Amino acid sequence: MDDQNKNLILAFALSLAVIMGWFALFPPPEPEPQADPVAQADLLPPAADARASVDGLTAETTAQPIAEAVRIAIDTPRVRGSIALTGGRIDDLQLRDYRETVDPESDLVHLLNPVSSDRHPFYALYGWAPRGALTYDLVPGPNTPWEQVGTNTLTPDTPVTLRWDNGAGLVFTRVIRIDEDYVFTIDQQIENTTDTAVSLDPYGILAQHGRPADLQNYYISHEGLVQMTDGALLEADYADMEAYEVSERERTPTHETAATTNAWIGFTGKYFMAALIGMPGQGATTVAQFVPGAEIYQASLRQPTVTVAPGATASVQSMLFTGAKEYATLNAYEEAGIERFTDAIDWGWFFFLTRPIFQLLNFLHGVLGNMGWSILALTLILKALLLPLAWKSYVSMARMKELQPEMQKIKERAGEDRQKLQQEMMALYRDKKVNPAAGCLPIMLQIPIFFSLYKVIFVTIELRHAAWIWVFNDLSAPDPTSLYNLFGLLPWDAPVPGSLMATVFLGILPLLFGMSMWFQMRLNPAPADPTQAMIFNYMPWIFMFVMGGFASGLLIYWIGNNIITFVQQYLIMTAHGSRPDVFGNIKASVRRNRGKST
């Protein structure tokens, strides 16, 4: 077999090995059993100092049904929900722009849910940790009975004000604002009417009871704790939090990080996130905790101690993000001072490719208005950028083809002497200035681009439920069509994605992918060796089944890439006097297969 075909088979085999190896090394684990929602569970407000007792740190949450709780409505263009006056908790929030499925009648995505909900309890609360002679019953906590000042709904134009008098000379006020997107601003105020100074530590807490029910556990996508302190990003999954070293001060598995200028901490899923954010330029401490027994995962933002003189008033501000990880939205907040907020999106190892590829794809989507056509346009641009390398590679392949007669003579002279064959071949390549490995280069360069685009399609919310044409209404999901029902012509449903039936009865995109790869490989004659020829013939169909369960957006890219590669290679090799005999190679392949069958 000539070196040109060896290189081609080697490159495709390596690509397949990388893809199979990825899923062998990083399989999606089975979802772990979820803890039952806890009706009453222990939260941990921060300890005022190391001498505080466990009993002093513990506050029980109230499992009051959402319909019975006294609440303040939240109504903005992008979110809706309510705030519970008990504890002043932000624990009921839905995203108006996102639904659970592609069905327009399906439920809105519920990001925050109260303890009493039948959904996964996830909520934010704020309070003050006492210092000195103050005790927890004299400061706001998870069960404080706040009163609303006024009766208005929380909107971008109308903040709400909560008030609580502790009956011992301290009056607490909380002003909550929300912008047009996803950020709340929390202004906590304290008025000291006593004759002695008081010191308190303001805090915010995000708490999840158990692991999220929709946890996917894909290693390619981070789900769990995410935080940034003074420019350093830290990610930890739920198992990592459980394995934290037990803090003597907190008496729970805890990880604490101090920041001097910028800090935020929260929990992220693949597409949505809730995060506590310190005001830009101000110091804070981020604390991640796991509460065993109650199975609560907790992220806290603790701000510096506030001392209020007699007759004085003090206040602290912080922010809360609760929404979708849209790049444009996160970038706007980042430009407003929230450091590295766009890194809440899991760009992965190839971030230096993933991020610019996404930005280009997002720009194309803004121009074309259709994500499927944007992916094809992106493919064309990437192929244009790689054209100089492709040109050099295909020219080298054309020159290799010109050397076939001389290479055949060398093989005849060398006979069984492998060393002599290699020496004379290398001398021929050197004299003719031909690089036999150059044919691999364009294919090898596709591997990091493939993984980067796979990452973009898998983790960015802009691809979630993004439509193309026909039945392709979610490019982040596998092809919904199937041979089983002749792509919708027969009156029964296609197999469930991920099932054995779906693997066998492929959709139209995997079939087009396999055919485009098969035609691309017909640009070169099949090797003379029967085993190598069999690999050459069956490799596209193996890839077709491997890729069958991948996101349809990725298949659109790969089909477009195969077609453009075919055209590029055919035109470049033809221009250098080595026109590929495509139909001749197809006929030879068919004759070889017929010969095997007889």
Side-chain angles (χ1 to χ4, degrees), residues 36-112:
D36 292 333
V38 184
Q40 286 195 327
D42 291 336
L43 284 174
L44 297 182
D49 53 49
R51 297 186 301 275
S53 68
V54 175
D55 292 337
L57 295 178
T58 301
E60 290 187 342
T61 64
T62 303
Q64 188 175 13
I66 189 170
E68 300 177 9
V70 180
R71 293 183 166 271
I72 301 171
I74 302 171
D75 187 9
T76 83
R78 307 207 66 186
V79 302
R80 74 180 189 192
S82 61
I83 300 170
L85 286 182
T86 300
R89 282 171 284 165
I90 304 173
D91 62 357
D92 172 31
L93 199 76
Q94 300 100 52
L95 308 182
R96 293 185 183 274
D97 297 332
Y98 298 96
R99 296 191 176 272
E100 297 287 354
T101 69
V102 293
D103 183 354
E105 300 301 319
S106 63
D107 288 342
L108 294 177
V109 169
H110 287 244
L111 184 57
L112 300 182

Side-chain angles (χ1 to χ4, degrees), residues 52-290:
S53 68
V54 175
D55 292 337
L57 295 178
T58 301
E60 290 187 342
T61 64
T62 303
Q64 188 175 13
I66 189 170
E68 300 177 9
V70 180
R71 293 183 166 271
I72 301 171
I74 302 171
D75 187 9
T76 83
R78 307 207 66 186
V79 302
R80 74 180 189 192
S82 61
I83 300 170
L85 286 182
T86 300
R89 282 171 284 165
I90 304 173
D91 62 357
D92 172 31
L93 199 76
Q94 300 100 52
L95 308 182
R96 293 185 183 274
D97 297 332
Y98 298 96
R99 296 191 176 272
E100 297 287 354
T101 69
V102 293
D103 183 354
E105 300 301 319
S106 63
D107 288 342
L108 294 177
V109 169
H110 287 244
L111 184 57
L112 300 182
N113 305 292
V115 176
S116 59
S117 171
D118 56 358
R119 297 175 180 270
H120 171 240
F122 186 20
Y123 49 91
L125 59 86
Y126 291 82
W128 299 80
R131 282 185 174 270
L134 286 178
T135 57
Y136 275 96
D137 60 329
L138 296 177
V139 296
N143 296 318
T144 299
W146 291 89
E147 295 179 350
Q148 182 181 5
V149 178
T151 59
N152 63 288
T153 295
L154 176 59
T155 72
D157 299 321
T158 56
V160 298
T161 301
L162 309 183
R163 185 178 184 277
W164 179 64
D165 188 334
N166 74 350
L170 299 180
V171 180
F172 296 88
T173 304
R174 183 176 301 167
V175 180
I176 304 175
R177 298 176 176 85
I178 189 170
D179 65 12
E180 295 282 349
D181 289 309
Y182 300 126
V183 167
F184 295 82
T185 300
I186 315 296
D187 185 350
Q188 297 194 84
Q189 304 171 7
I190 176 173
E191 179 185 0
N192 181 8
T193 64
T194 70
D195 56 2
T196 58
V198 295
S199 295
L200 310 91
D201 296 331
Y203 65 84
I205 291 176
L206 277 170
Q208 295 195 82
H209 291 223
R211 300 189 183 190
D214 59 351
L215 191 65
Q216 295 190 1
N217 278 323
Y218 277 101
Y219 284 93
I220 194 174
S221 173
H222 172 66
E223 297 170 289
L225 182 82
V226 59
Q227 71 174 59
M228 191 287 304
T229 51
D230 289 341
L233 191 73
L234 173 67
E235 296 176 336
D237 59 30
Y238 294 101
D240 294 332
M241 294 184 68
E242 295 170 11
Y244 284 153
E245 184 177 350
V246 175
S247 165
E248 293 184 6
R249 173 181 174 180
E250 307 290 343
R251 313 286 180 89
T252 61
T254 302
H255 183 273
E256 183 174 323
T257 309
T260 57
T261 57
N262 289 283
W264 52 268
I265 184 171
F267 293 103
T268 181
K270 186 163 73 169
Y271 297 125
F272 308 103
M273 177 178 71
L276 303 161
I277 307 165
M279 303 306 290
Q282 297 182 9
T285 299
T286 59
V287 182
Q289 293 173 277
F290 172 67

